[in-house]
Amino acid sequence: MTAISAQPRNQPIAGAKRRSGAWWIYVLLTLGILLMVGPFLWMLLGSLKPQAEFLVNPPTFLPKAPTTDNYNRLFDQLDFPRFFFNSSVIAIVVTVGNVLFCPMLGYALAKLDWRGKRPVMGLVLATLMVPAGITLIPNFVLMANLGLVNTYPGLILPFLVGPFGVFLTRQFMYGIPDELLEAARIDGANEWRIFWQVVMPITVPVLATLGILTFLGSWNSFIYPLVMASEPNMYTLPVALATFATGQYQADHGMLMAGSVVLVVPVLIIFILFQRWITEGIATTGLKG
């Protein structure tokens, strides 16, 4: 009777010991959160500082005299609506293209048998290993020969289909049961109908993940738009900020911070709206195959 009654008393003590022994995990998690959130807080608070406050030593974290002058100058000195429109058009079209075309090739590589399937998959994997900087000049030369410099097609076409999207959708579709597709074929559905009415609805979570990652990469792209768009009316927001907020001897840090906040806001909104599908897509995307 004594042994039986002693066991429940020891359970809270053991739980308290486990919690006290795991304090270092909470410390590491807290440090990780600070490392992730810190730059964003610095950017947000910096956008409220006057230019003179960026030059003081030691630097200040909280603005001594908060001001919205940086945002006012951002919208007054820059043709902000035009640059925002350029970034939005390019990012949206590139995202739609990847979400539409990458699953097509991913389905063909995962579920269809055709000659050359393995070499094409090897080419996709090889393309994933090529640094983006290597393809910068070839893409520019190709677009220049096609007469697409300083045009939306020139900024969009090289990124309309990405190897990462093909690989991601292929890995997800590889896990779809073949019996499900065979049942649709027995019912008389062709491959096009199977793809749109059976496969695509199942692939929504991974498409949401692909969409947000593609939009983020296109929205923040800097080097290629800088090379391809030599006229101000085709600048994207990152290019415009780097061009107009950086002088010959000194950068306008306040405007750069304010512009960076404006750049981050659309991405945060999209992530908040689609976070459930993004999490599900990452969790359910297999790596077998």
PDB file of all heavy atoms in Angstrom, residues 50-70:
ATOM      1  N   PRO A  50      16.259  59.369 -38.298  1.00  0.00           N
ATOM      2  CA  PRO A  50      16.813  60.343 -39.246  1.00  0.00           C
ATOM      3  C   PRO A  50      18.204  59.911 -39.685  1.00  0.00           C
ATOM      4  O   PRO A  50      18.867  59.119 -39.019  1.00  0.00           O
ATOM      5  CB  PRO A  50      16.849  61.644 -38.443  1.00  0.00           C
ATOM      6  CG  PRO A  50      16.896  61.201 -37.020  1.00  0.00           C
ATOM      7  CD  PRO A  50      16.133  59.919 -36.941  1.00  0.00           C
ATOM      8  N   GLN A  51      18.640  60.462 -40.821  1.00  0.00           N
ATOM      9  CA  GLN A  51      19.921  60.052 -41.386  1.00  0.00           C
ATOM     10  C   GLN A  51      21.084  60.291 -40.419  1.00  0.00           C
ATOM     11  O   GLN A  51      22.011  59.488 -40.342  1.00  0.00           O
ATOM     12  CB  GLN A  51      20.169  60.807 -42.704  1.00  0.00           C
ATOM     13  CG  GLN A  51      21.490  60.492 -43.383  1.00  0.00           C
ATOM     14  CD  GLN A  51      21.594  59.055 -43.862  1.00  0.00           C
ATOM     15  OE1 GLN A  51      20.602  58.348 -43.919  1.00  0.00           O
ATOM     16  NE2 GLN A  51      22.794  58.614 -44.194  1.00  0.00           N
ATOM     17  N   ALA A  52      21.055  61.380 -39.667  1.00  0.00           N
ATOM     18  CA  ALA A  52      22.153  61.701 -38.764  1.00  0.00           C
ATOM     19  C   ALA A  52      22.332  60.648 -37.681  1.00  0.00           C
ATOM     20  O   ALA A  52      23.447  60.418 -37.191  1.00  0.00           O
ATOM     21  CB  ALA A  52      21.921  63.073 -38.133  1.00  0.00           C
ATOM     22  N   GLU A  53      21.254  59.996 -37.303  1.00  0.00           N
ATOM     23  CA  GLU A  53      21.338  59.013 -36.224  1.00  0.00           C
ATOM     24  C   GLU A  53      22.048  57.735 -36.659  1.00  0.00           C
ATOM     25  O   GLU A  53      22.514  56.967 -35.826  1.00  0.00           O
ATOM     26  CB  GLU A  53      19.931  58.689 -35.711  1.00  0.00           C
ATOM     27  CG  GLU A  53      19.923  58.021 -34.350  1.00  0.00           C
ATOM     28  CD  GLU A  53      18.533  57.969 -33.728  1.00  0.00           C
ATOM     29  OE1 GLU A  53      17.690  58.811 -34.127  1.00  0.00           O
ATOM     30  OE2 GLU A  53      18.294  57.116 -32.876  1.00  0.00           O
ATOM     31  N   PHE A  54      22.139  57.489 -37.964  1.00  0.00           N
ATOM     32  CA  PHE A  54      22.863  56.313 -38.449  1.00  0.00           C
ATOM     33  C   PHE A  54      24.373  56.501 -38.345  1.00  0.00           C
ATOM     34  O   PHE A  54      25.126  55.535 -38.447  1.00  0.00           O
ATOM     35  CB  PHE A  54      22.493  56.033 -39.912  1.00  0.00           C
ATOM     36  CG  PHE A  54      21.127  55.445 -40.089  1.00  0.00           C
ATOM     37  CD1 PHE A  54      20.043  56.250 -40.407  1.00  0.00           C
ATOM     38  CD2 PHE A  54      20.911  54.090 -39.931  1.00  0.00           C
ATOM     39  CE1 PHE A  54      18.785  55.717 -40.578  1.00  0.00           C
ATOM     40  CE2 PHE A  54      19.657  53.538 -40.096  1.00  0.00           C
ATOM     41  CZ  PHE A  54      18.579  54.362 -40.416  1.00  0.00           C
ATOM     42  N   LEU A  55      24.826  57.735 -38.181  1.00  0.00           N
ATOM     43  CA  LEU A  55      26.257  58.034 -38.194  1.00  0.00           C
ATOM     44  C   LEU A  55      26.851  58.141 -36.810  1.00  0.00           C
ATOM     45  O   LEU A  55      28.054  58.367 -36.680  1.00  0.00           O
ATOM     46  CB  LEU A  55      26.494  59.341 -38.972  1.00  0.00           C
ATOM     47  CG  LEU A  55      25.921  59.380 -40.392  1.00  0.00           C
ATOM     48  CD1 LEU A  55      26.178  60.737 -41.035  1.00  0.00           C
ATOM     49  CD2 LEU A  55      26.501  58.259 -41.249  1.00  0.00           C
ATOM     50  N   VAL A  56      26.026  58.034 -35.759  1.00  0.00           N
ATOM     51  CA  VAL A  56      26.543  58.162 -34.396  1.00  0.00           C
ATOM     52  C   VAL A  56      27.285  56.887 -33.993  1.00  0.00           C
ATOM     53  O   VAL A  56      27.025  55.797 -34.519  1.00  0.00           O
ATOM     54  CB  VAL A  56      25.407  58.454 -33.395  1.00  0.00           C
ATOM     55  CG1 VAL A  56      24.726  59.768 -33.740  1.00  0.00           C
ATOM     56  CG2 VAL A  56      24.403  57.305 -33.375  1.00  0.00           C
ATOM     57  N   ASN A  57      28.213  57.029 -33.064  1.00  0.00           N
ATOM     58  CA  ASN A  57      28.982  55.901 -32.572  1.00  0.00           C
ATOM     59  C   ASN A  57      29.047  55.983 -31.040  1.00  0.00           C
ATOM     60  O   ASN A  57      29.515  56.987 -30.494  1.00  0.00           O
ATOM     61  CB  ASN A  57      30.393  55.933 -33.165  1.00  0.00           C
ATOM     62  CG  ASN A  57      31.154  54.653 -32.885  1.00  0.00           C
ATOM     63  OD1 ASN A  57      30.564  53.628 -32.557  1.00  0.00           O
ATOM     64  ND2 ASN A  57      32.480  54.708 -33.004  1.00  0.00           N
ATOM     65  N   PRO A  58      28.564  54.954 -30.342  1.00  0.00           N
ATOM     66  CA  PRO A  58      28.045  53.674 -30.835  1.00  0.00           C
ATOM     67  C   PRO A  58      26.642  53.806 -31.426  1.00  0.00           C
ATOM     68  O   PRO A  58      25.912  54.750 -31.086  1.00  0.00           O
ATOM     69  CB  PRO A  58      28.024  52.801 -29.579  1.00  0.00           C
ATOM     70  CG  PRO A  58      27.825  53.787 -28.466  1.00  0.00           C
ATOM     71  CD  PRO A  58      28.575  55.014 -28.867  1.00  0.00           C
ATOM     72  N   PRO A  59      26.248  52.879 -32.306  1.00  0.00           N
ATOM     73  CA  PRO A  59      24.920  52.980 -32.930  1.00  0.00           C
ATOM     74  C   PRO A  59      23.802  52.758 -31.917  1.00  0.00           C
ATOM     75  O   PRO A  59      23.969  52.064 -30.913  1.00  0.00           O
ATOM     76  CB  PRO A  59      24.955  51.870 -33.980  1.00  0.00           C
ATOM     77  CG  PRO A  59      25.972  50.904 -33.499  1.00  0.00           C
ATOM     78  CD  PRO A  59      27.008  51.724 -32.800  1.00  0.00           C
ATOM     79  N   THR A  60      22.680  53.348 -32.185  1.00  0.00           N
ATOM     80  CA  THR A  60      21.510  53.222 -31.303  1.00  0.00           C
ATOM     81  C   THR A  60      20.555  52.188 -31.871  1.00  0.00           C
ATOM     82  O   THR A  60      20.398  52.067 -33.089  1.00  0.00           O
ATOM     83  CB  THR A  60      20.785  54.571 -31.168  1.00  0.00           C
ATOM     84  OG1 THR A  60      20.350  55.008 -32.466  1.00  0.00           O
ATOM     85  CG2 THR A  60      21.707  55.616 -30.563  1.00  0.00           C
ATOM     86  N   PHE A  61      19.928  51.436 -30.987  1.00  0.00           N
ATOM     87  CA  PHE A  61      18.942  50.438 -31.430  1.00  0.00           C
ATOM     88  C   PHE A  61      17.559  51.074 -31.561  1.00  0.00           C
ATOM     89  O   PHE A  61      16.892  50.921 -32.575  1.00  0.00           O
ATOM     90  CB  PHE A  61      18.896  49.268 -30.444  1.00  0.00           C
ATOM     91  CG  PHE A  61      17.979  48.162 -30.881  1.00  0.00           C
ATOM     92  CD1 PHE A  61      18.320  47.322 -31.917  1.00  0.00           C
ATOM     93  CD2 PHE A  61      16.760  47.969 -30.233  1.00  0.00           C
ATOM     94  CE1 PHE A  61      17.467  46.300 -32.321  1.00  0.00           C
ATOM     95  CE2 PHE A  61      15.902  46.956 -30.610  1.00  0.00           C
ATOM     96  CZ  PHE A  61      16.267  46.116 -31.662  1.00  0.00           C
ATOM     97  N   LEU A  62      17.149  51.805 -30.525  1.00  0.00           N
ATOM     98  CA  LEU A  62      15.867  52.508 -30.567  1.00  0.00           C
ATOM     99  C   LEU A  62      16.083  53.918 -31.105  1.00  0.00           C
ATOM    100  O   LEU A  62      17.052  54.591 -30.732  1.00  0.00           O
ATOM    101  CB  LEU A  62      15.248  52.574 -29.174  1.00  0.00           C
ATOM    102  CG  LEU A  62      14.853  51.238 -28.542  1.00  0.00           C
ATOM    103  CD1 LEU A  62      14.373  51.459 -27.107  1.00  0.00           C
ATOM    104  CD2 LEU A  62      13.779  50.539 -29.366  1.00  0.00           C
ATOM    105  N   PRO A  63      15.213  54.382 -32.002  1.00  0.00           N
ATOM    106  CA  PRO A  63      15.369  55.748 -32.527  1.00  0.00           C
ATOM    107  C   PRO A  63      15.142  56.792 -31.440  1.00  0.00           C
ATOM    108  O   PRO A  63      14.159  56.732 -30.695  1.00  0.00           O
ATOM    109  CB  PRO A  63      14.299  55.823 -33.621  1.00  0.00           C
ATOM    110  CG  PRO A  63      13.299  54.775 -33.278  1.00  0.00           C
ATOM    111  CD  PRO A  63      14.057  53.673 -32.599  1.00  0.00           C
ATOM    112  N   LYS A  64      16.064  57.742 -31.336  1.00  0.00           N
ATOM    113  CA  LYS A  64      15.930  58.806 -30.339  1.00  0.00           C
ATOM    114  C   LYS A  64      14.843  59.808 -30.732  1.00  0.00           C
ATOM    115  O   LYS A  64      14.156  60.352 -29.874  1.00  0.00           O
ATOM    116  CB  LYS A  64      17.267  59.529 -30.170  1.00  0.00           C
ATOM    117  CG  LYS A  64      18.366  58.652 -29.594  1.00  0.00           C
ATOM    118  CD  LYS A  64      19.658  59.437 -29.441  1.00  0.00           C
ATOM    119  CE  LYS A  64      20.761  58.561 -28.840  1.00  0.00           C
ATOM    120  NZ  LYS A  64      22.036  59.305 -28.713  1.00  0.00           N
ATOM    121  N   ALA A  65      14.722  60.067 -32.020  1.00  0.00           N
ATOM    122  CA  ALA A  65      13.701  60.998 -32.511  1.00  0.00           C
ATOM    123  C   ALA A  65      12.961  60.340 -33.672  1.00  0.00           C
ATOM    124  O   ALA A  65      13.283  60.555 -34.847  1.00  0.00           O
ATOM    125  CB  ALA A  65      14.337  62.308 -32.970  1.00  0.00           C
ATOM    126  N   PRO A  66      11.989  59.467 -33.362  1.00  0.00           N
ATOM    127  CA  PRO A  66      11.292  58.739 -34.437  1.00  0.00           C
ATOM    128  C   PRO A  66      10.652  59.692 -35.441  1.00  0.00           C
ATOM    129  O   PRO A  66      10.077  60.719 -35.072  1.00  0.00           O
ATOM    130  CB  PRO A  66      10.228  57.933 -33.680  1.00  0.00           C
ATOM    131  CG  PRO A  66      10.717  57.859 -32.273  1.00  0.00           C
ATOM    132  CD  PRO A  66      11.472  59.130 -32.029  1.00  0.00           C
ATOM    133  N   THR A  67      10.748  59.322 -36.719  1.00  0.00           N
ATOM    134  CA  THR A  67      10.189  60.146 -37.785  1.00  0.00           C
ATOM    135  C   THR A  67       9.762  59.258 -38.949  1.00  0.00           C
ATOM    136  O   THR A  67      10.339  58.180 -39.168  1.00  0.00           O
ATOM    137  CB  THR A  67      11.232  61.176 -38.284  1.00  0.00           C
ATOM    138  OG1 THR A  67      10.682  61.905 -39.375  1.00  0.00           O
ATOM    139  CG2 THR A  67      12.504  60.492 -38.740  1.00  0.00           C
ATOM    140  N   THR A  68       8.764  59.694 -39.676  1.00  0.00           N
ATOM    141  CA  THR A  68       8.303  58.981 -40.882  1.00  0.00           C
ATOM    142  C   THR A  68       8.821  59.658 -42.149  1.00  0.00           C
ATOM    143  O   THR A  68       8.317  59.387 -43.234  1.00  0.00           O
ATOM    144  CB  THR A  68       6.762  58.939 -40.913  1.00  0.00           C
ATOM    145  OG1 THR A  68       6.246  60.293 -40.901  1.00  0.00           O
ATOM    146  CG2 THR A  68       6.218  58.183 -39.711  1.00  0.00           C
ATOM    147  N   ASP A  69       9.831  60.516 -41.991  1.00  0.00           N
ATOM    148  CA  ASP A  69      10.362  61.245 -43.139  1.00  0.00           C
ATOM    149  C   ASP A  69      10.946  60.299 -44.183  1.00  0.00           C
ATOM    150  O   ASP A  69      10.883  60.582 -45.384  1.00  0.00           O
ATOM    151  CB  ASP A  69      11.428  62.231 -42.671  1.00  0.00           C
ATOM    152  CG  ASP A  69      11.989  63.051 -43.822  1.00  0.00           C
ATOM    153  OD1 ASP A  69      11.212  63.812 -44.441  1.00  0.00           O
ATOM    154  OD2 ASP A  69      13.198  62.917 -44.121  1.00  0.00           O
ATOM    155  N   ASN A  70      11.509  59.190 -43.750  1.00  0.00           N
ATOM    156  CA  ASN A  70      12.075  58.240 -44.709  1.00  0.00           C
ATOM    157  C   ASN A  70      11.008  57.681 -45.629  1.00  0.00           C
ATOM    158  O   ASN A  70      11.236  57.525 -46.840  1.00  0.00           O
ATOM    159  CB  ASN A  70      12.775  57.098 -43.964  1.00  0.00           C
ATOM    160  CG  ASN A  70      13.974  57.581 -43.177  1.00  0.00           C
ATOM    161  OD1 ASN A  70      14.737  58.420 -43.646  1.00  0.00           O
ATOM    162  ND2 ASN A  70      14.145  57.059 -41.964  1.00  0.00           N
TER     163      ASN A  70
END
